[in-house]
């Protein structure tokens, strides 16, 4: 264990250089409206995306917005619902939530509905990203936290009513959306009611080819707040979100229906005493009904003389998440303590029905097959946490710890036992997980600072990793089988942050990071004698297993020039390198397995390549107008996983522009052009078109217009 910590420390020292400087805690660095700042609780690698930047987005998708942040990318499978990736960590390695701890359990095994897709983007006021296992107050934190802060009403001195209208129009994909918010109230009782409707068609890539990616989404929300006294507040929230006919060309099925309900009750008490500053209590419930089928696909209707036939695949899943938390905040002089507990119960139940209708000589034959995806699977996680902060004139310290009890169960009847080895048998498991972190920030002369964090994040496997059965849920074309006896993953991570205040020359921030993941969960090939694939086109079966160690290294850096005659330049860059000790892959000839080989030092799959952005911003007309020219350079990705049959992807350069005009306090307008030169390109993390080796290309040139009215 000591050797591993020493390895991580040496990595940072090797890159730190002889002299380091950093900015003061109150300074900020803006990256295309993304504010990288030192939080009050010292997490200086926190990124905050504000509402103004979200209003400038060309598409109403959280994943699209997150792609603008250095070190953050996303896995794309269709025209919406991009699944975020932070420094190579993805899926349940990231904790994505609404507000201060509301969790949502997606219904699709292929994650066509990641957590962020269930939350209306216009309702989101800001997005906070904490990279690494450095905040433990909202549940287990492994690779990072993405916190979607939604609109909440507030009291007014006198009764008032306000309204907001937001309209988006887009040329590629053709479509748009409307959003309306009505909020107001008085000193005691206040409210917010909102609704939205969005409909987009298929888009065309830079080659002029149509990509099946249309979607329709709509929602409504209601929030009511009540202040029984000056220092108490009760807030009740309800959000309903709906998706219809959402197409995913990189998945075997499309989303036909998604009905999501999110409800929460918050109770806040402030200033109980000179020391006890806050008491917060929350209860929430979320439910997702998710229905998928292949009715939009060519395979739905087949003609194979002398037969004619119809092949249907329908999957229906109910998923829910119920939880609550309590937290106390104490401040005494230069010391601050946050402590509390939380509990979360995630549940999934659903199956897939395959129907084959064959007709020969006017005789119709129907065969049906039911497969359960999850059988009343549940995972209970309850934890205790504490965060301590101490501030001195030149130093700031923090120490956090968290203890979690995790228990999972399923009513699966599958038993897979071969030659005395149980691959899927006992479905109950329970773990006690410990996470902790510590950080220090040193303020230097000239407004510089240097921060060093160490963290240990521990997470139990999710319901897919534990219980999924014979479904293609990974990057490669294998059926995946869950493993109820998986051990938790452990991430040992360190970040070294340099904030350099160059004064008249601008500001620079550099974040170097390294992670060592033990018991890394990945797919391992099962022999055909143990399990055969059940999905059409699958070339074999992989089971989720703890595959040893994985290592991640990288950096993010941002330079922000001073403003000169309304002009400033923002330059950012990011890079992540991921590697595993070893992995096994099948060798194929003529689509048949002819052997196996062990790959040493294999790349971790789905790691984005080096990326750099250069933004030129010009504010004029008393800063009411802003013109931005953005250039994006993405390098080729040649460090790919052989065990996952990952392909190299070419690099590309894009140029886009935006123009915004704040006419007055009531009306603002923003227009822009994405991919000005109509470049045909695709991201490394875009999944290939299902049933082929063709990549999922991004949209070509697109014009868009956003209008906002505040009353």
């Amino acid at each position: 264990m000591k050797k591993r910590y020493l390895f991580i420390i040496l990595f940072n020292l090797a890159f730190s250089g002889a002299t380091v400087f950093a900015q003061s805690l109150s300074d900020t660095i803006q990256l295309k409206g993304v504010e990288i700042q030192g939080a009050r609780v010292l997490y200086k690698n926190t990124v905050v995306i504000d509402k103004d930047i979200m209003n400038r987005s060309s598409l109403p998708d959280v994943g699209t917005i997150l792609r603008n942040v250095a070190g953050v990318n996303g896995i794309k499978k269709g025209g919406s619902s991009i699944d975020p990736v932070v420094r190579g960590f993805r899926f349940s390695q990231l904790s994505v939530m609404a507000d201060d701890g509301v969790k949502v359990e997606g219904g699709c095994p292929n994650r066509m509905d990641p957590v962020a897709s269930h939350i209306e983007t216009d309702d989101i006021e800001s997005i906070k990203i904490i990279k690494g296992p450095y905040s433990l107050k909202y549940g287990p934190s492994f690779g990072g936290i993405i916190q979607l802060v939604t609109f909440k009403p507030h009291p007014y001195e006198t009764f008032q009513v306000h309204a907001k209208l937001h309209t988006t129009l887009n040329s590629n994909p053709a479509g748009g959306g409307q959003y309306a918010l009505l909020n107001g109230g008085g000193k005691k009782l206040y409210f917010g009611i909102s609704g939205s409707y969005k409909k987009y068609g298929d888009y065309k890539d830079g080659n002029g080819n149509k990509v099946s990616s249309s979607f329709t989404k709509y929602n409504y929300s209601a929030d009511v707040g009540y202040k029984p006294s000056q220092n108490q507040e009760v807030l009740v929230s309800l959000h309903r979100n709906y998706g219809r006919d959402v197409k995913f060309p990189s998945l075997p099925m499309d989303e036909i229906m998604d009905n999501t309900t999110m409800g929460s009750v918050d109770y806040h008490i402030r200033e109980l005493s000179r020391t006890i500053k806050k008491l917060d209590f929350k209860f929430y419930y979320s439910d997702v009904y998710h229905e998928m089928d292949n009715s939009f696909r060519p395979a739905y209707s087949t003609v194979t003389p002398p037969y004619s036939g119809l092949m249907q695949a329908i999957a229906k899943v109910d998923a829910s998440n119920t939880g609550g938390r309590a937290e106390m905040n104490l401040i005494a002089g230069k010391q601050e303590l946050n402590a509390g507990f939380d509990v979360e119960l995630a549940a999934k139940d659903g199956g897939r029905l395959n129907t084959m209708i064959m007709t020969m000589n006017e005789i119709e034959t129907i065969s049906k097959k039911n497969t359960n995806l999850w059988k009343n699977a549940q995972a209970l996680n309850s934890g205790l946490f504490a965060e301590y902060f101490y501030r001195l004139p030149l130093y700031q310290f923090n120490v956090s710890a968290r203890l979690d009890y995790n228990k999972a169960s399923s009513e699966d009847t599958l038993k897979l036992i071969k030659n005395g080895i149980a691959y899927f048998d006992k479905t109950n498991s329970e773990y006690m997980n410990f996470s902790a972190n510590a950080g220090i920030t040193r303020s230097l002369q000239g407004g510089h600072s240097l921060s060093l964090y160490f963290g240990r994040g521990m997470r139990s496997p999710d319901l897919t990793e534990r219980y999924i059965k014979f479904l293609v849920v990974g990057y490669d074309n294998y059926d995946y089988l869950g493993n109820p006896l998986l051990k938790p993953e452990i991430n040992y991570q360190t970040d070294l942050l340099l904030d350099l205040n160059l004064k008249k020359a601008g500001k620079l921030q550099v974040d170097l990071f390294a992670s060592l993941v033990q018991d890394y969960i990945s797919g391992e090939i099962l022999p055909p004698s143990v399990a055969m694939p059940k999905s059409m086109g699958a070339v074999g079966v992989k089971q989720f297993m703890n595959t040893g160690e994985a290592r991640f290294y990288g950096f993010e850096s941002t330079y922000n020039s001073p403003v000169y005659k309304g002009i400033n330049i923002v330059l950012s860059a990011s890079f992540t390198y991921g590697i595993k000790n070893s992995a096994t892959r099948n060798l194929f000839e003529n689509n048949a397995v002819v052997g196996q080989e062990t790959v040493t030092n294999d790349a971790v799959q789905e790691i984005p390549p080096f990326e750099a952005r250069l933004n030129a911003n010009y504010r004029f007309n008393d800063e009411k107008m802003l013109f931005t020219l953005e250039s994006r350079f993405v390098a080729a990705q040649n460090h790919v996983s052989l065990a996952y049959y990952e392909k190299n992807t070419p690099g590309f350069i894009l140029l886009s522009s935006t123009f915004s005009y704040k006419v007055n306090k009531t009306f603002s307008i923003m227009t822009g052009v994405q991919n000005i030169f109509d470049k045909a390109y695709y991201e490394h993390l875009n999944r290939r078109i299902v049933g082929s080796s063709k990549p999922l290309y991004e949209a070509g040139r697109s014009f868009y217009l956003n209008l906002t009215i505040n009353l």
Side-chain angles (χ1 to χ4, degrees), residues 350-506:
R352 175 179 56 178
L353 172 64
N354 289 332
T355 302
M356 178 66 75
I357 305 174
M358 300 296 295
T359 303
M360 181 179 183
N361 299 326
E362 298 184 353
I363 299 176
E364 184 177 84
T365 303
I366 300 177
S367 62
K368 295 185 178 182
K369 183 179 180 181
N370 278 296
T371 305
N372 71 69
L373 303 174
W374 293 280
K375 183 64 173 176
N376 292 325
Q378 295 185 342
L380 173 68
N381 194 95
S382 55
L384 301 170
F385 64 87
E387 299 181 325
Y388 173 76
F389 307 94
Y390 187 67
R391 300 168 181 84
L392 295 172
L394 296 180
Y395 290 92
Q396 300 184 63
F397 305 89
N398 76 281
V399 179
S400 304
R402 180 180 179 89
L403 184 65
D404 287 286
Y405 171 72
N406 185 277
K407 180 179 181 180
S409 63
S410 172
E411 296 179 9
D412 280 312
T413 58
L414 172 66
K415 289 185 180 293
L416 185 58
I417 303 174
K418 297 288 184 178
N419 300 322
I421 301 175
Y423 295 89
F424 197 104
D425 185 10
K426 179 184 176 183
T427 57
N428 295 340
S429 59
E430 54 185 309
Y431 303 104
M432 191 68 73
N433 301 334
F434 177 71
S435 302
N437 61 64
I440 180 173
T441 293
R442 172 67 160 92
S443 298
L444 306 172
Q445 291 184 350
H448 315 304
S449 70
L450 172 65
S451 300
L452 180 63
Y453 300 143
F454 292 98
R456 168 193 161 107
M458 193 172 182
R459 76 163 188 103
S460 294
D462 60 32
L463 292 176
T464 296
E465 294 164 333
R466 277 166 155 153
Y467 300 125
I468 197 65
K469 288 172 290 300
F470 300 105
L471 206 65
V472 181
V473 297
Y475 172 86
D476 49 3
N477 196 23
Y478 279 77
D479 265 349
Y480 274 74
L481 177 66
N483 186 349
L485 297 182
L486 281 171
K487 295 186 292 185
E489 284 184 327
I490 306 174
N491 176 26
Y492 295 98
Q493 183 167 325
T494 182
D495 278 67
L496 179 67
L497 291 93
L498 318 174
D499 283 343
L500 179 61
N501 188 348
L502 304 175
K503 297 182 180 179
K504 293 184 178 182

Side-chain angles (χ1 to χ4, degrees), residues 254-273:
D254 299 302
E255 178 185 295
I256 302 304
M257 179 187 301
D258 188 283
N259 299 337
T260 300
T261 301
M262 298 168 53
S264 63
V265 179
D266 292 83
Y267 177 50
H268 307 296
I269 309 176
R270 299 292 181 262
E271 303 295 338
L272 275 79
S273 67

Side-chain angles (χ1 to χ4, degrees), residues 118-133:
H118 296 281
I119 301 169
E120 165 55 39
T121 51
D122 280 311
D123 279 334
I124 299 174
E125 292 295 304
S126 65
I127 303 175
K128 183 166 69 173
I129 307 162
I130 301 176
K131 303 172 185 176

Side-chain angles (χ1 to χ4, degrees), residues 172 203-208 632 634 650-656 674-682 697-702:
N172 184 29
Y203 67 76
K204 290 184 178 180
D205 63 23
N207 293 319
R632 180 174 174 231
V634 178
F652 56 86
I653 299 176
L654 296 178
L655 190 67
S656 302
Q674 293 287 320
N675 193 0
I676 291 176
F677 296 113
D678 205 20
K679 174 76 174 178
Y681 76 102
Y682 56 93
Y697 277 82
E698 294 283 346
R701 185 187 299 113
S702 176

Side-chain angles (χ1 to χ4, degrees), residues 79-342:
S80 65
S81 306
I82 294 175
D83 208 353
V85 174
V86 178
R87 294 177 169 179
F89 293 109
R90 59 195 187 283
F91 307 157
S92 57
Q93 293 175 328
L94 299 175
S95 180
V96 183
M97 70 191 71
D99 301 316
D100 53 351
V102 177
K103 308 288 183 67
V104 180
E105 191 73 21
C108 175
N110 293 99
R111 295 183 65 89
M112 66 171 61
D113 64 329
V115 175
S117 69
H118 296 281
I119 301 169
E120 165 55 39
T121 51
D122 280 311
D123 279 334
I124 299 174
E125 292 295 304
S126 65
I127 303 175
K128 183 166 69 173
I129 307 162
I130 301 176
K131 303 172 185 176
Y134 302 124
S135 180
L136 304 177
K137 62 190 295 185
Y138 297 118
S141 178
F142 186 82
I145 290 176
I146 299 176
Q147 190 174 1
L148 310 175
V149 181
T150 64
F151 170 84
K152 298 299 178 188
H154 60 83
Y156 296 89
E157 286 298 318
T158 59
F159 183 82
Q160 303 178 36
V161 177
H162 300 274
K164 176 182 178 180
L165 302 174
H166 182 70
T167 297
T168 300
L169 299 173
N170 200 299
S171 68
N172 184 29
Q178 295 78 41
Y179 171 80
L181 167 67
L182 187 69
N183 69 289
K187 289 184 177 181
K188 291 284 187 179
L189 191 66
Y190 36 96
F191 66 91
I193 303 172
S194 66
S196 71
Y197 180 83
K198 297 177 174 64
K199 185 178 181 62
Y200 289 82
D202 300 332
Y203 67 76
K204 290 184 178 180
D205 63 23
N207 293 319
N209 299 318
K210 182 183 288 187
V211 178
S212 177
S213 55
S214 60
F215 63 91
T216 301
K217 296 185 178 184
Y218 54 96
N219 97 306
Y220 65 84
S221 300
D223 300 88
V224 177
Y226 174 65
K227 287 182 71 68
S229 65
Q230 186 63 32
N231 67 335
Q232 297 183 70
E233 180 187 37
V234 179
L235 185 65
V236 180
S237 301
L238 174 68
H239 298 255
R240 296 296 307 271
N241 297 280
Y242 304 89
R244 295 293 185 268
D245 298 338
V246 185
K247 296 179 182 178
F248 293 90
S250 293
L251 295 178
M253 290 189 284
D254 299 302
E255 178 185 295
I256 302 304
M257 179 187 301
D258 188 283
N259 299 337
T260 300
T261 301
M262 298 168 53
S264 63
V265 179
D266 292 83
Y267 177 50
H268 307 296
I269 309 176
R270 299 292 181 262
E271 303 295 338
L272 275 79
S273 67
R274 295 179 60 182
T275 301
I276 304 176
K277 298 299 181 181
K278 294 190 300 182
L279 275 177
D280 293 317
F281 302 91
K282 173 184 284 292
F283 171 78
Y284 72 87
Y285 173 77
S286 65
D287 178 83
V288 175
Y289 172 75
H290 191 82
E291 186 173 323
M292 306 155 277
D293 72 21
N294 65 339
S295 58
F296 294 115
R297 306 304 178 91
Y300 181 78
S301 179
T302 61
V303 178
T304 309
Y307 301 93
S308 64
L310 190 67
M311 183 169 55
Q312 299 173 320
I314 301 175
K316 300 178 181 180
V317 177
D318 282 297
S320 65
N321 196 302
T322 307
R325 64 189 309 273
E327 179 182 355
M328 177 186 293
N329 173 254
L330 300 93
I331 298 178
K334 300 175 181 179
Q335 302 178 82
E336 180 174 349
L337 175 67
N338 296 317
F341 67 89
D342 54 48

Side-chain angles (χ1 to χ4, degrees), residues 62-73:
V62 172
T64 300
I65 297 169
L66 290 173
R67 278 177 160 183
N68 292 319
V69 179
V72 182
N73 210 293

